[in-house]
Amino acid sequence: MKGPLCPKNTMMKKFLTIISLITLLFASCSKEEIVPETELKQAAGTLSLNFDAIYGSQDFALNKAFDYELTSSSGNAKFTYEFTKLRYWVSNVILVTKDGNEYKVPDSYYLIEENTAQPIQGGSFNKVYPANKRENVIIRDIPFGEYKTVKFSIGVDSRYNDNLTLRAGELSALTAMANDDWMWFTSYIFTSTAGKITWVKSAPEAAVSKNFTFETGSNAQFKQKTIELINPISIGGDYTSKIDLTVDAKKILDLEAPFTDNIIGATKPALMTRLTDNVISKAISFKSAEGIKK
């Protein structure tokens, strides 16, 4: 039997049609599954965010006497500061591309510090937080792109500050950066600078020293810092990327009467606000940034 109704011809056409569909299906799958290696590398990148502590034109160091001259309406006074700690929380990091798109780093809570051993909650835990120095934050899994701005906050946002049982990033009450008498409830200490202040008078034997502790906390002191890069940097799997900032401890000390107000905390909210402004507006500044192709 011949003609268009021939079973053999019909079966052959169906068979060829099925083969063609299978070929197209495999070709389509192959195109979707084969991704160039360069694209895989660019799926995400890593940024090193560095906070270099300094004191004026000098490197910052613990247990070293740094000169400080205060000029006020009362005249001039000379002091020296010797630090036992410089600590602060960096949180809620946001990276902004040159096109204005924001990437909010999840669970970004980092403790930047240079400190001697510290009793936890004034010793109430009968434990000591060890001496440590940490100026660097490594942020991973950043979407590939060219970034022009980094934003971050100093302190801990109210969600976690009001409930120390919640965990995110490096947050913990056992870092000696929490207090149970901030505004009569337990919360994080946002910044903590402490050591010894000496009033240097004309006669060396007349010099007088005191311990000082300058701390900030409470939700009202949670502030954001914005750093604009001079030029956008690339972040991606094919790049080594970093942003370097400086943190000038000398500018944190900009107070009217540091020898009198040598203890600043929750009972002095106006001075806490002054310290917060010193950190955000004066102490932290841009140093350099680069994204170099590997």
Side-chain angles (χ1 to χ4, degrees), residues 34-249:
I34 298 174
V35 180
E37 186 179 352
T38 54
E39 291 184 19
L40 286 174
K41 287 183 178 179
Q42 296 302 339
T46 298
L47 172 70
S48 176
L49 182 60
N50 307 306
F51 296 83
D52 181 24
I54 60 174
Y55 184 92
S57 60
Q58 306 174 65
D59 289 334
F60 179 82
L62 300 179
N63 301 314
K64 175 183 176 179
F66 290 102
D67 293 332
Y68 188 90
E69 186 168 347
L70 176 66
T71 301
S72 67
S73 57
S74 301
N76 294 340
K78 292 184 178 181
F79 300 95
T80 62
Y81 281 94
E82 296 179 48
F83 297 87
T84 56
K85 63 178 171 178
L86 173 63
R87 311 178 78 203
Y88 50 95
W89 287 103
V90 171
S91 66
N92 295 40
V93 179
I94 301 172
L95 297 167
V96 186
T97 69
K98 66 178 184 179
D99 299 322
N101 297 318
E102 291 189 346
Y103 172 65
K104 296 181 180 180
V105 180
D107 294 331
S108 50
Y109 298 88
Y110 312 103
L111 182 56
I112 307 300
E113 59 187 344
E114 188 163 350
N115 60 278
T116 59
Q118 305 290 318
I120 295 173
Q121 296 231 86
S124 59
F125 279 85
N126 199 28
K127 294 183 181 296
V128 174
Y129 184 85
N132 193 34
K133 179 177 180 178
R134 193 270 190 98
E135 297 182 321
N136 173 263
V137 170
I138 302 298
I139 304 174
R140 307 183 190 280
D141 299 322
I142 301 170
F144 170 71
E146 290 187 79
Y147 292 86
K148 66 170 185 177
T149 306
V150 58
K151 302 177 183 178
F152 52 86
S153 296
I154 298 298
V156 179
D157 53 274
S158 60
R159 179 188 177 190
Y160 294 99
N161 194 43
D162 292 345
N163 187 349
L164 270 63
T165 64
L166 297 178
R167 290 288 178 268
E170 298 174 7
L171 293 177
S172 171
L174 300 180
T175 56
M177 282 291 279
N179 205 318
D180 58 7
D181 57 11
W182 282 110
M183 301 302 184
W184 303 282
F185 61 87
T186 302
S187 69
Y188 285 101
I189 297 170
F190 292 179
T191 68
S192 183
T193 307
K196 182 175 72 173
I197 179 174
T198 300
W199 187 357
V200 181
K201 301 187 178 182
S202 55
E205 63 275 12
V208 181
S209 297
K210 289 182 180 181
N211 291 331
F212 76 91
T213 301
F214 300 153
E215 294 184 334
T216 65
S218 82
N219 295 332
Q221 304 302 327
F222 183 70
K223 305 291 183 181
Q224 186 182 70
K225 175 73 176 182
T226 298
I227 298 289
E228 298 288 350
L229 310 186
I230 294 177
N231 296 301
I233 62 168
S234 295
I235 300 177
D238 276 349
Y239 292 86
T240 299
S241 307
K242 68 174 183 175
I243 297 174
D244 293 331
L245 309 176
T246 56
V247 182
D248 190 344

